[in-house]
Amino acid sequence: MDNVRKGEIAVLFLKHQLHRKGMRLGPDFRRELGNIAKAIDAPFGEVMEFAEELVQELVDKLFNKKNDEP
C-alpha cells in the first residue's frame, strides 16, 4: 500500500472516529491544535487548515436537511 492510500484511509478513519465520538470545540481548541502540531511535527497553519475542513464537513453533514427527512 502506498503512502497516498494510507493517507486517504487515515482521513476516513479520523472522520469516522470524530463522527462517532465527537470533539470539543471550546476556547482551548486552538491551543490543542498547536499542541497536536508540535507532537506530529507539522506546521500549525496546516494543522489548522486540516481541522477547519474536517470540522466544517462534520457540521455540514450533521445539519444536512436531507438527513432530517423521515
Side-chain angles (χ1 to χ4, degrees):
M1 181 181 322
D2 66 3
N3 285 337
V4 172
R5 184 61 183 150
K6 286 179 185 178
E8 292 169 349
I9 291 171
V11 170
L12 291 172
F13 179 83
L14 179 59
K15 287 179 184 179
H16 176 76
Q17 289 294 90
L18 291 174
H19 182 74
R20 287 186 64 234
K21 296 183 179 183
M23 64 188 312
R24 292 180 183 232
L25 298 176
D28 294 330
F29 186 66
R30 281 181 68 90
R31 180 180 303 158
E32 186 176 340
L33 289 179
N35 292 339
I36 291 169
K38 286 180 185 177
I40 65 173
D41 197 27
F44 174 75
E46 289 181 3
V47 172
M48 184 68 163
E49 183 179 342
F50 181 78
E52 285 178 25
E53 290 179 18
L54 216 71
V55 169
Q56 187 62 55
E57 185 177 325
L58 292 171
V59 169
D60 290 346
K61 188 174 182 177
L62 178 66
F63 289 105
N64 183 351
K65 293 190 182 237
K66 291 179 184 175
N67 291 336
D68 292 341
E69 296 176 358

